[in-house]
């Protein structure tokens, strides 16, 4: 794989993984059944924005990071790669925590629906919790994103260098005949801005009568 293709593949993969985590955040993570205080069972669908709220910010940060990687230099690639490892690990922790304790992750949704608050009280009225595939997708996206960050740290040195085509700067002497501001400055100094530069540099205003006859 060429250096250019390696860079393109890495950046596109990072965008895909971040998009998958963000997609997971928008979907239902748990189907919860609680005993309603009014009697009977109350089914609830708990979405990722409740059970895994940080995923949206983490995914958007990862998208911005891979956008920055397109123009980053070698040193900043390593820094951004390490940051991507941290973002991917944070996605893993968020989703794994929700999967490990879905009742706690669904607590705010249960409280909104029933008015029951407190972790122990919520556990007492939850009859069943069924996870969907979406939090597992978020978990897989986080693992892959962290691995991609490690790959970026290790291999970004082989990426092609950023071009300097548009960053070169040249300093040129202003031409009074082309620059109105410079022309006014010349007039203020008692010089004729239309006079040839070589003649002004010599300090003379023109040939003397002796030079013309001699």
């Amino acid at each position: 794989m060429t250096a250019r293709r390696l860079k393109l593949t890495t950046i596109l993969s990072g965008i895909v993984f971040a998009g998958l985590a963000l997609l997971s955040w928008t979907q239902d993570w748990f189907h919860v059944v609680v005993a309603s205080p009014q009697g009977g069972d109350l089914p609830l669908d708990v979405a990722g924005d409740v059970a895994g709220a940080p995923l949206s910010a983490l995914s958007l940060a990862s998208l911005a990071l891979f956008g920055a990687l397109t123009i980053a230099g070698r040193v900043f690639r390593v820094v951004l790669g390490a940051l991507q490892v941290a973002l991917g690990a944070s996605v893993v922790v968020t989703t794994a925590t929700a999967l490990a304790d879905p009742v706690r992750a669904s607590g705010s949704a249960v409280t909104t629906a029933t008015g029951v608050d407190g972790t122990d009280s919520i556990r007492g009225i939850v009859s069943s919790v069924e996870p969907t595939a979406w939090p597992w997708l978020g978990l897989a996206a986080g693992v892959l994103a962290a691995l991609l960050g490690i790959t970026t740290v290790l291999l970004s040195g082989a990426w092609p260098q950023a071009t300097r085509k548009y960053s070169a700067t040249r300093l040129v002497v202003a031409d009074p005949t082309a620059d109105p501001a410079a022309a006014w400055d010349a007039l203020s100094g008692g010089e004729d801005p239309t006079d040839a530069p070589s003649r002004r540099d010599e300090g003379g205003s023109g040939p003397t009568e002796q030079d013309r006859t001699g």
Side-chain angles (χ1 to χ4, degrees):
M1 182 181 293
T2 64
R4 186 176 299 276
R5 186 177 296 274
L6 175 62
K7 177 181 179 180
L8 180 61
T9 301
T10 301
I11 292 174
L12 290 180
S13 298
I15 293 173
V16 169
F17 297 154
L20 289 176
L22 189 60
L23 176 63
S24 170
W25 175 80
T26 65
Q27 304 300 314
D28 291 335
W29 280 23
F30 304 109
H31 299 310
V32 182
V33 178
V34 300
S36 174
Q38 289 78 27
D41 291 335
L42 178 64
L44 298 175
D45 291 328
V46 181
D49 60 349
V50 174
L55 239 62
S56 60
L58 295 171
S59 301
L60 293 175
S62 185
L63 286 173
L65 183 148
F66 281 98
L69 270 176
T70 60
I71 58 174
R74 178 173 297 182
V75 175
F76 282 104
R77 292 173 195 163
V78 175
V79 174
L80 292 174
L83 180 59
Q84 175 60 24
V85 174
L87 289 174
S90 298
V91 172
V92 172
V93 170
T94 300
T95 53
T97 300
L99 286 167
D101 193 351
V103 174
R104 187 183 186 90
S106 307
S108 61
V110 174
T111 299
T112 300
T114 64
V116 177
D117 198 3
T119 303
D120 292 337
S121 299
I122 290 174
R123 292 186 192 279
I125 64 172
V126 172
S127 302
S128 64
V129 179
E130 181 183 353
T132 68
W134 292 107
W136 294 103
L137 176 64
L139 179 64
V143 171
L144 293 173
L147 293 176
L148 187 64
I150 296 174
T151 302
T152 302
V153 171
L154 296 177
L155 301 181
S156 62
W159 292 5
Q161 295 297 319
T163 178
R164 298 180 178 273
K165 177 179 179 182
Y166 300 105
S167 61
T169 303
R170 284 192 310 141
L171 298 178
V172 297
V173 179
D175 182 1
T177 62
D179 186 356
W184 279 110
D185 291 340
L187 286 173
S188 300
E191 299 178 1
D192 183 1
T194 62
D195 197 6
S198 60
R199 293 171 61 186
R200 289 199 304 272
D201 293 342
E202 293 173 357
S205 59
T208 63
E209 183 65 25
Q210 183 179 356
D211 293 335
R212 288 195 296 269
T213 58

